[in-house]
Amino acid sequence: MPDQSQGDEQLLHHLDGVYRFAMRLTKSDREWAEDITQETMLRALASEREGRGGRSLKTWLYTVARNVWLDVLRREVVRRKVASRHPVESVPSQAVPVERTAMLTEEVELRLSDLDQLPDRQRSVLYLAACEELDNHEIASVLNISPQAVKASLCVARQRIRKSQEVSTPK
C-alpha cells in the first residue's frame, strides 16, 4: 500500500518538530517529551482514517501533543489528590524530574530558562511562532484559542523575554 508508507513518511517528517514542542511543554524534560511524542504518533496512526478536521498535519500533530501533555498534567493532579488523602499508600509518580542537558551553552540555557519562566500559554505561543514557524491561525488551532489571543500572548511573551534579558545582561 503506497498510501500507508507515504502517510508514515509524512508523520516521520514531523517527528522532530513534535519532540521539540514536547520539550518546550515539559520544560526540557527529555523522558516526558519522548513519552508525549510517542503517544502523539501512536494517536496519529490510530486515527489516520478519522481525518484532521481540515487542519494541516503539522498543526494537527501539535494539537495532539498538547492534548497528551494536558492529559498527563490532569492525571498528575488527580494522583496528588489521591496521595494526599491516603498518605500511607504510596502512589508512584509518572512525572519525571526536569533535567537539563550539559551540552547546552550557558547563553542558550539562560534563554531557555527565560522561556520556561513564561506561563504555559505564552511559552507555547512563542515557541510555536519562533521555532516551529507556525502562523497565528495555526497556533490558534493548536492551542484552541483565537488568533487575537495568540497575537496578544505573543506580544506579552516577547516583552517578558526582553525584560528578563535586560535584567540578566550586565550593563
Side-chain angles (χ1 to χ4, degrees):
M1 291 174 111
D3 290 342
Q4 179 65 34
S5 66
Q6 186 179 19
D8 291 349
E9 284 180 33
Q10 288 178 344
L11 285 177
L12 287 175
H13 176 73
H14 295 291
L15 184 65
D16 288 341
V18 170
Y19 176 72
R20 287 189 306 267
F21 181 52
M23 285 289 284
R24 293 286 40 97
L25 291 173
T26 63
K27 297 183 179 180
S28 299
D29 184 321
R30 285 182 175 177
E31 191 170 331
W32 192 12
E34 288 169 359
D35 290 346
I36 288 172
T37 303
Q38 181 178 16
E39 182 64 25
T40 298
M41 292 302 162
L42 287 173
R43 288 185 187 185
L45 289 169
S47 64
E48 218 168 358
R49 295 178 186 209
E50 295 174 20
R52 301 185 298 266
R55 298 183 198 179
S56 74
L57 179 60
K58 183 177 184 178
T59 303
W60 181 75
L61 286 171
Y62 289 165
T63 302
V64 172
R66 179 179 173 270
N67 290 339
V68 168
W69 172 69
L70 288 172
D71 290 347
V72 172
L73 289 178
R74 288 183 195 116
R75 281 194 303 267
E76 184 65 15
V77 167
V78 170
R79 186 203 63 78
R80 287 183 182 176
K81 284 182 182 177
V82 169
S84 70
R85 289 183 191 148
H86 307 287
V88 176
E89 297 177 27
S90 167
V91 180
S93 171
Q94 297 206 3
V96 178
V98 175
E99 295 179 7
R100 294 275 180 200
T101 64
M103 297 183 324
L104 292 176
T105 64
E106 190 175 316
E107 174 88 16
V108 171
E109 193 165 318
L110 179 62
R111 297 308 167 231
L112 290 176
S113 175
D114 291 344
L115 185 63
D116 288 346
Q117 298 306 314
L118 294 173
D120 291 338
R121 181 193 289 188
Q122 291 173 11
R123 183 176 64 247
S124 296
V125 166
L126 185 58
Y127 174 79
L128 291 171
C131 300
E132 298 302 328
E133 300 177 347
L134 297 183
D135 65 36
N136 288 358
H137 291 286
E138 290 173 318
I139 296 169
S141 179
V142 168
L143 300 178
N144 198 27
I145 59 177
S146 71
Q148 293 78 16
V150 169
K151 191 174 180 181
S153 293
L154 193 54
C155 180
V156 171
R158 286 178 174 152
Q159 287 173 346
R160 285 185 172 184
I161 292 289
R162 269 190 234 106
K163 188 179 242 179
S164 71
Q165 288 175 352
E166 289 171 2
V167 169
S168 66
T169 306
K171 294 183 181 183

